Amino acid sequence: MSMNQGNASDQDETVVGETGKDAPVVCGNLMERVVERGNLIAALRKVERNGGSPGIDGMAVEELRDYLREHWPEIKGELLRGEYKPMPVKRVEIPKPGGGIRCLGIPTVLDRFIQQATLQILQVQWDGGFSDHSFGFRPGRSAHQAIERALSYLRKGYRWVVDIDLEKFFDRVNHDKLMSLVKERVSDIRVLRLINRYLNSGAIIGNVYHPTGEGTPQGGPLSPLLANLLLDRLDKELERRGHRFARYADDCNIYVRSKRAGQRVMAGVTRYLSQKLRLKVNALKSAVARPWQRTFLGFTLTYSCKSVVSGKAVKRFKEEVRRHTFRTRGVSVKNVVSTMRRYLLGWKAYFGFCESRSILKELDSWVRRRLRCYLWKQWGKGGYHELRRRGVSRDLAWNTAKSAHGPWRLSRSPALAFALPARYFASIGLPSLQEMTMGQLNQPNRRGT
């Protein structure tokens, strides 16, 4: 792949001037920076790491590198001339954990690559001007930091939350408003034209083309940055009004001292979003309430100013584990654990942040029960011999095998807890959601699980 470095001069690449709205304008040959060799190599590696499904052209991520080797000079020329035209996205519908449908727009692999290269340049230019209260899809920031910021407000006595849910935010972004904000920061007409074309590239649903007159489809690398650009206006307005808040993408929580103050804030912010940003607040999902009555980024903040895993997140966790362990299908338990492992490690990396460890201990026990139940069903009539082979006494193995209780009830029985202790599941690769010592692994808990 030939990716020659652009010839833009130093003065072409400088950031100059202010718009008066904390938005620096990038002047000169910005597109040359997008197609610079080092930037492209970093973008290619990022796209390859992320993987993902093919777009409407069917090209897989694994095919991109070879495709670029052959076609990059032509594509680069189109970008530098401002003539490149993205392909429509492939629209797919993903069920939301809490009900409803989330629409994803999957760009082609080539368009993901170009968007990623553009993102890497624009994010460096824009991110420094974004609000300190914004935590989503920004380098060096995370959902955990947003939770910590929210907890800091609770500790200071701001114990009412204005929980704002934007109705179908990514599907409802106004293109004119968004492009006006982009133009405040970018003067290279080719980059402006490219972003506008991505917004208006349309979508293929089934085999039918649908124009996209609004929205920035989830699924492309540029969408989160453009969302932050638009919602930074909300951040700056909340800062101007002196509010204490934390925002992660389109999830925004504002903390106040009283319910009455929260109701005033909700009314004012709703008007601002509608009149200035042309966004609609979902009245059914938004509320003024106590933080421990709401969920923020999968966590619930307690009266004692701690973060715990929300009930909804626990429910989704159990649904996913049940999906893997519902039927035996002749699959070994080692394979079941192997397929669950990535999900469990990801869940632990995110929710292991919580300050209440008891729920993690309970879920560890529950997962092992599911696996014991899975194995007991798989053993079938050979259950007695499997228990004996694992050291269970003759009487206990016999009573368990002849029990009238079902597999779920028996999964917490003394016989199965002895035959299949926590250390057995650890030995076949089952990760623990909480850190456990080897001594703990060797002992069933007081409930025999």
Side-chain angles (χ1 to χ4, degrees):
M1 176 173 54
S2 176
M3 296 181 178
N4 297 324
Q5 186 169 348
N7 296 320
S9 66
D10 291 341
Q11 66 180 17
D12 288 334
E13 298 184 358
T14 55
V15 178
V16 297
E18 295 287 340
T19 66
K21 298 180 180 180
D22 298 323
V25 179
V26 180
C27 297
N29 294 335
L30 186 61
M31 185 60 80
E32 276 73 12
R33 302 182 67 180
V34 171
V35 300
E36 188 270 328
R37 178 179 174 80
N39 185 55
L40 293 173
I41 291 174
L44 177 60
R45 289 172 177 166
K46 180 72 171 179
V47 171
E48 289 176 333
R49 283 198 305 271
N50 289 344
S53 303
I56 62 170
D57 63 351
M59 184 192 300
V61 172
E62 294 78 13
E63 302 173 74
L64 177 60
R65 191 175 287 260
D66 288 338
Y67 181 86
L68 291 174
R69 286 193 182 101
E70 183 177 353
H71 298 283
W72 178 247
E74 177 186 350
I75 298 167
K76 178 181 177 181
E78 292 178 354
L79 289 167
L80 291 174
R81 293 191 301 272
E83 298 173 357
Y84 179 80
K85 294 182 179 179
M87 298 184 73
V89 299
K90 181 169 68 176
R91 182 66 59 85
V92 296
E93 294 182 343
I94 306 295
K96 290 184 177 180
I101 296 295
R102 173 181 289 110
C103 292
L104 294 182
I106 303 177
T108 65
V109 176
L110 175 60
D111 282 323
R112 295 210 290 270
F113 167 66
I114 295 173
Q115 284 195 39
Q116 180 64 37
T118 306
L119 166 70
Q120 290 169 179
I121 298 301
L122 295 182
Q123 187 143 44
V124 171
Q125 301 292 346
W126 296 0
D127 192 77
F130 287 159
S131 170
D132 182 55
H133 300 271
S134 167
F135 296 92
F137 306 107
R138 297 181 60 190
R141 288 176 171 257
S142 68
H144 293 163
Q145 292 174 332
I147 297 296
E148 287 285 9
R149 180 68 59 87
L151 287 170
S152 72
Y153 298 140
L154 264 66
R155 295 185 187 108
K156 294 176 182 177
Y158 296 87
R159 292 181 164 244
W160 287 87
V161 62
V162 182
D163 187 356
I164 296 174
D165 183 275
L166 295 175
E167 188 172 288
K168 296 183 178 179
F169 168 73
F170 285 93
D171 297 329
R172 298 278 176 84
V173 170
N174 183 274
H175 287 178
D176 291 338
K177 180 62 181 178
L178 179 56
M179 285 307 300
S180 71
L181 297 175
V182 175
K183 289 175 182 176
E184 291 178 2
R185 294 172 179 254
V186 173
S187 64
D188 190 321
I189 189 65
R190 298 164 299 178
V191 175
L192 292 172
R193 190 175 293 155
L194 180 66
I195 293 174
N196 191 58
R197 284 175 177 166
Y198 273 122
L199 292 174
N200 293 281
S201 61
I204 300 295
I205 304 176
N207 294 317
V208 181
Y209 173 82
H210 293 263
T212 48
E214 63 179 1
T216 173
Q218 298 182 72
L222 267 177
S223 291
L225 179 65
L226 296 176
N228 271 334
L229 178 63
L230 180 62
L231 291 176
D232 187 62
R233 281 290 186 264
L234 171 63
D235 298 340
K236 297 297 170 51
E237 178 64 18
L238 295 178
E239 289 175 357
R240 188 187 68 79
R241 299 182 186 187
H243 291 312
R244 292 156 180 82
F245 68 98
R247 182 178 66 79
Y248 189 97
D250 56 337
D251 289 328
C252 184
N253 277 6
I254 307 168
Y255 295 86
V256 295
R257 289 189 182 275
S258 69
K259 183 176 182 179
R260 180 176 295 181
Q263 291 169 338
R264 289 197 303 268
V265 170
M266 177 68 81
V269 171
T270 300
R271 283 194 302 272
Y272 177 84
L273 287 167
S274 174
Q275 296 173 5
K276 300 297 184 180
L277 300 185
R278 305 181 191 178
L279 296 172
K280 184 178 180 181
V281 171
N282 188 328
L284 295 178
K285 294 184 178 180
S286 302
V288 177
R290 295 292 195 178
W292 41 93
Q293 298 171 329
R294 307 294 293 179
T295 296
F296 185 39
L297 303 177
F299 293 90
T300 295
L301 310 186
T302 68
Y303 180 83
S304 57
C305 301
K306 292 184 178 180
S307 60
V308 300
V309 183
S310 71
K312 291 181 180 178
V314 170
K315 180 181 178 181
R316 290 196 294 268
F317 173 86
K318 290 187 174 183
E319 287 173 351
E320 180 66 16
V321 173
R322 285 191 186 101
R323 187 176 68 82
H324 287 279
T325 59
F326 182 64
R327 298 183 184 277
T328 60
R329 305 185 311 278
V331 179
S332 73
V333 71
K334 290 184 179 180
N335 286 338
V336 172
V337 168
S338 177
T339 59
M340 286 199 304
R341 181 175 173 81
R342 182 176 179 182
Y343 173 77
L344 293 174
L345 289 174
W347 198 93
K348 175 182 177 179
Y350 186 76
F351 287 104
F353 169 82
C354 76
E355 297 173 88
S356 175
R357 312 304 292 180
S358 60
I359 185 61
L360 302 182
K361 184 177 181 179
E362 290 173 11
L363 289 176
D364 269 335
S365 174
W366 184 86
V367 171
R368 291 193 295 270
R369 280 195 67 190
R370 289 293 306 181
L371 292 172
R372 291 189 186 105
C373 182
Y374 182 94
L375 275 170
W376 184 250
K377 289 187 290 184
Q378 195 171 65
W379 290 344
K381 294 180 179 180
Y384 170 80
H385 296 290
E386 291 290 346
L387 291 176
R388 289 288 291 137
R389 189 165 66 86
R390 287 165 169 78
V392 178
S393 69
R394 182 177 300 172
D395 289 344
L396 183 56
W398 179 261
N399 290 336
T400 303
K402 296 302 180 181
S403 172
H405 295 309
W408 179 244
R409 177 78 175 267
L410 290 176
S411 67
R412 63 182 296 179
S413 67
L416 283 175
F418 183 88
L420 300 169
R423 68 175 181 275
Y424 164 74
F425 293 111
S427 72
I428 62 173
L430 181 70
S432 174
L433 301 180
Q434 57 165 346
E435 295 298 328
M436 301 177 69
T437 67
M438 290 307 297
Q440 290 173 313
L441 284 173
N442 291 333
Q443 297 294 329
N445 62 24
R446 62 184 178 87
R447 300 176 66 183
T449 60

